[in-house]
């Protein structure tokens, strides 16, 4: 591989803003080290759009030389982010469109309106739990009590995952994403998830219900049934993506607003729409720091850089959101009045753009105003500088958000 000393991403996520700035300073595309494995990463908005629509880059891990040559094995801590079942996450072209169609239909904005009352009720229930946990002015973790259970319940209902299994799934995903999890334990978690979702698919084949898992395995307006492996792969992708990221969207937005009382005041006064706040939060402090990975099927020339055939390319969407060419010199600041806020790529771009984008926006647009309406005195229980990230390399995952309700 080309240039030496790739920029090492800090797995402990000690200084996310500093890291993003240093990465951006290295140029539009730069070499990074992902826990001992080299790749390219893209930090520039225009280049991210170009490369996420370049058909010479594919998601199939078999196109990765380091994997094909046995250098990257299941001992690599990030293997679970790239070695996935055949699904809409790992396939390109016409097959990708087929694998994505039923999901795109189920998550279309019109269909999502049916979910609105359900999400409102789940939110109200969780606000009751929050009130109980924070009674008498006690500090309470907004992540654990409120933000964390909500998206899992939403995606769980959508996929037909029983409520009593959510705690187990959340526990598995926590271990899956943390770089601190010993690798043998991570591999056990991955096989636990595989057994769980294989059972779920078989159960829905035998006894279909009104959920997306059943839609995957039956013929409908979205086409023929998917194979068992494809259905399992899609479900794994949707449950992982559907809960992990939306938790961060909700708490990162609350954190940003509580740190900037003047901006919060504008929002609560109705001078700035929640929709706009959510877009600025996605741009400035989005749930995904680094999206792994695409692989070059031939040499790709980008300016004076050559992505060689077989090399891996990461999209550093956090850095992309701070692109000064798009968002101006103040790109590093959170500003709910920013006119370019919705030009972020926090959901990706091109054929693989997040199919759940509208659902996550809906969840945030329900949860955030409901939270502030119920607790207008909401404030941080610790200085903002004490809020830290979990040791998760790819995701922007706060460890906790301690707050006081009133
Ligand atoms: C987790 C493990 C798995 O079984 C399947 C997938 C595929 C979809 C991935 C998911 C992964 C990890 C989190 C991702 C998600 C798609 C969107 C989400 C990368 C690898 C983001 O964080 C953007």
């Amino acid at each position: 591989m080309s240039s030496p000393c790739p920029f090492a991403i800090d797995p402990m996520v000690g200084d996310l803003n500093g890291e993003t700035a240093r990465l951006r300073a290295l140029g539009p595309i730069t070499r990074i080290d992902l826990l001992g494995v080299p790749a390219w990463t893209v930090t520039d908005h225009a280049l991210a759009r170009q490369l996420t629509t370049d058909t010479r880059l594919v998601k199939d891990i078999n196109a990765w030389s380091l994997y094909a040559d046995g250098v990257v094995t299941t001992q690599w801590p990030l293997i679970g982010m790239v070695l996935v079942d055949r699904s809409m996450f790992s396939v390109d072209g016409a097959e990708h469109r087929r694998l994505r169609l039923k999901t795109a239909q189920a998550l279309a904005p019109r269909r999502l309106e049916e979910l609105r009352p359900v999400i409102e009720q789940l939110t109200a229930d969780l606000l009751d739990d929050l009130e109980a946990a924070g009674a008498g002015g006690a500090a309470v973790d907004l992540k654990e009590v409120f933000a964390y259970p909500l998206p899992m319940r939403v995606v769980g209902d959508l996929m037909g995952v029983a409520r009593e299994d959510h705690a187990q799934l959340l526990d598995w995903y926590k271990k899956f994403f943390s770089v601190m999890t010993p690798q043998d334990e991570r591999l056990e978690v991955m096989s636990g998830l595989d057994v769980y979702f294989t059972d779920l698919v078989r159960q829905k084949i035998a006894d279909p219900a009104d959920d997306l898992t059943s839609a995957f395995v039956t013929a409908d307006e979205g086409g023929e049934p998917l194979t068992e492996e494809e259905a399992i792969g899609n479900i794994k992708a949707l449950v992982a993506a559907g809960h992990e990221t939306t938790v961060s969207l909700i708490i990162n937005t609350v954190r940003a607003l509580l740190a900037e009382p003047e901006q919060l005041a504008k929002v609560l006064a109705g001078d700035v729409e929640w929709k706009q706040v959510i877009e600025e939060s996605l741009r400035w402090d989005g749930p995904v720091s680094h999206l792994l990975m695409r692989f070059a099927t031939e040499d790709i020339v980008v300016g004076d850089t050559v992505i060689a055939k077989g090399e891996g390319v990461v999209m550093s969407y956090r850095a992309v959101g701070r692109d000064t060419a798009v968002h101006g010199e103040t790109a590093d600041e959170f500003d709910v009045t920013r006119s370019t806020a919705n030009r972020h790529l926090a959901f990706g771009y091109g054929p693989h753009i997040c199919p759940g984008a509208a659902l996550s926006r809906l969840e945030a647009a329900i949860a955030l105003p409901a939270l502030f309406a119920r607790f207008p005195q909401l404030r941080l229980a610790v200085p903002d500088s004490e809020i830290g990230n979990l040791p998760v390399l790819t995701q922007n995952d706060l460890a906790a958000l301690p707050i006081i309700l009133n």
Side-chain angles (χ1 to χ4, degrees):
M1 292 220 160
S2 18
S3 66
C5 301
F7 183 94
I9 302 291
D10 172 16
M12 302 311 288
V13 200
D15 172 23
L16 197 51
N17 284 332
E19 181 170 276
T20 302
R22 288 193 294 279
L23 205 48
R24 276 195 48 74
L26 292 171
I29 178 163
T30 190
R31 306 281 297 154
I32 52 164
D33 174 305
L34 304 162
L35 303 174
V37 170
W40 293 103
T41 196
V42 176
T43 65
D44 175 272
H45 180 101
L47 186 58
R49 284 170 50 134
Q50 181 187 319
L51 291 179
T52 48
T53 48
D54 188 324
T55 54
R56 296 170 298 175
L57 285 170
V58 298
K59 305 283 299 266
D60 180 0
I61 190 174
N62 296 301
W64 193 17
S65 306
L66 291 175
Y67 180 72
D69 297 345
V71 178
V72 167
T73 68
T74 54
Q75 290 313 301
W76 185 46
L78 296 171
I79 193 70
M81 299 299 292
V82 279
L83 184 59
V84 297
D85 298 270
R86 183 186 159 77
S87 72
M88 60 183 152
F89 187 72
S90 58
V91 166
D92 291 276
E95 278 293 89
H96 172 246
R97 286 189 286 281
R98 178 177 71 80
L99 290 175
R100 199 176 143 111
L101 190 56
K102 288 166 187 277
T103 302
Q105 287 173 338
L107 297 179
R110 182 181 47 85
R111 284 279 294 279
L112 290 181
E113 276 309 308
E114 294 166 24
L115 279 180
R116 181 185 288 277
V118 179
I119 300 172
E120 284 170 350
Q121 185 58 54
L122 292 172
T123 301
D125 294 347
L126 288 166
L127 287 172
D128 291 341
D129 296 350
L130 188 63
E131 181 159 25
V140 40
D141 179 5
L142 185 72
K143 180 179 183 186
E144 191 62 31
V145 182
F146 177 70
Y148 191 57
L150 178 66
M152 188 63 192
R153 289 187 194 175
V154 174
V155 76
D157 285 359
L158 189 76
M159 303 309 299
V161 175
R163 187 71 72 87
E164 60 264 29
D165 298 336
H166 291 187
Q168 168 73 83
L169 289 170
L170 287 173
D171 184 58
W172 274 336
Y173 282 117
K174 239 182 220 171
K175 293 184 174 133
F176 173 83
F177 283 107
S178 172
V179 299
M180 299 303 281
T181 305
Q183 190 63 7
D184 52 348
E185 206 180 321
R186 189 184 337 274
L187 295 172
E188 276 168 33
V189 163
M190 286 163 65
S191 60
L193 286 164
D194 190 61
V195 169
Y196 180 85
F197 288 117
T198 302
D199 282 354
L200 181 69
V201 166
R202 291 187 180 157
Q203 181 203 318
K204 300 293 177 181
I205 291 173
D207 186 13
D210 183 20
D211 54 50
L212 183 50
T213 303
S214 301
F216 284 157
V217 295
T218 41
D220 61 14
E221 72 279 10
E224 292 302 304
L226 307 184
T227 68
E228 192 175 290
E229 191 203 352
E230 292 164 348
I232 294 167
N234 272 358
I235 293 162
K236 285 182 182 172
L238 287 165
V239 176
H243 91 273
E244 217 295 319
T245 49
T246 310
V247 178
S248 303
L249 173 57
I250 294 169
I251 56 172
N252 292 355
T253 309
V254 174
R255 178 199 186 176
L257 289 171
L258 294 183
E260 300 286 345
E262 284 157 32
Q263 299 197 42
L264 175 59
K266 281 186 197 160
V267 180
L268 296 184
D271 296 341
V272 175
E273 278 186 278
W274 278 105
K275 248 178 72 184
Q276 163 78 10
V277 178
I278 292 165
E279 297 311 306
E280 175 65 353
S281 170
L282 284 161
R283 179 198 74 81
W284 182 72
D285 200 22
V288 182
S289 300
H290 311 285
L291 192 288
L292 274 49
M293 199 166 359
R294 289 170 169 82
F295 310 103
T297 55
E298 50 187 276
D299 289 1
I300 300 173
V301 178
V302 177
D304 50 14
T305 296
V306 180
I307 305 169
K309 177 179 178 182
E311 290 184 333
V313 182
V314 170
M315 296 292 153
S316 287
Y317 285 123
R318 181 183 182 79
V320 167
R322 308 281 180 107
D323 190 332
T324 50
V326 178
H327 304 291
E329 288 308 316
T330 61
D332 279 331
E333 292 163 26
F334 177 74
D335 176 1
V336 294
T337 65
R338 182 182 301 281
S339 62
T340 61
N342 61 8
R343 293 191 58 207
H344 63 76
L345 304 183
F347 292 114
Y349 191 75
H352 286 277
I353 192 169
C354 177
L359 177 57
S360 78
R361 286 179 165 123
L362 180 65
E363 288 179 49
I366 291 171
L368 291 164
L371 173 70
F372 282 97
R374 181 100 163 239
F375 306 109
Q377 304 302 320
L378 195 73
R379 58 195 186 278
L380 292 178
V382 298
D384 185 80
S385 57
E386 281 177 25
I387 299 167
N389 274 66
L390 288 175
V392 178
L393 189 144
T394 54
Q395 319 296 116
N396 175 9
D397 240 351
L398 295 186
L401 189 63
I403 50 147
I404 294 170
L405 297 176
N406 37 42

